[in-house]
Amino acid sequence: MAKLITGALASLDGYIVDADGAFDWAMPSAEVHAFVNDLERPIGTYFYGRRMYEVMSAWERLADDPRISDVERDYASIWGDTDKIVYSSKLEQVTTARTRLERRFDADEVARLKAAAERDLSISGPHLAAEAVRAGLVDELFVFVFPVVVGGGTRLLPDGVRLDLQLLEERRFDEVVYLRYRLLA
């Protein structure tokens, strides 16, 4: 059975965007970006909430942009070659290839997809990932901790949920730290 993985770039105080909705403080270096590419390469399907999809869909447009770096071009290729499911009641349609729209998150359906998948799955967007965490579907969690405290915004992890974790991997990139955990039952 495939694993369902969630994770993000976050501030030291656990936010993925600040109170103004900005995340410019979490721009990865080329080394971090290349590492992310290697993490994403084996993913078979991305599950996105609407806002995360809207941010990530830029990668389809960037794929042919001569101004992006080789590591960004690599990520654009990875993103374009991966299936995507977007969960949104507000989005009218999806505009990217290999993408389908679902109106609501169905934990039982995600569990079926996970059981049938040959490749790992990734769930992104803090609200959508929180639903999967609460449903007990997430197997692994990772975070790239950036050296900033933003004091508020959108949290990486949901409130009101206790997660017992086992550290699987850690790595330091200059001032950014990568941590990967298994969620324990």
Side-chain angles (χ1 to χ4, degrees), residues 147-169:
V148 62
V149 172
V150 299
T154 302
R155 295 180 52 76
L156 167 64
L157 297 170
D159 289 330
V161 175
R162 179 187 167 121
L163 301 173
D164 292 319
L165 308 170
Q166 176 188 14
L167 182 64
L168 298 175
E169 184 179 1

Side-chain angles (χ1 to χ4, degrees), residues 47-50 85-87 105 123-133:
F47 299 127
Y48 288 128
R50 178 186 55 84
I85 301 174
V86 179
Y87 296 91
F105 179 79
I123 189 161
S124 298
H127 306 294
L128 182 65
E131 288 190 58
V133 166

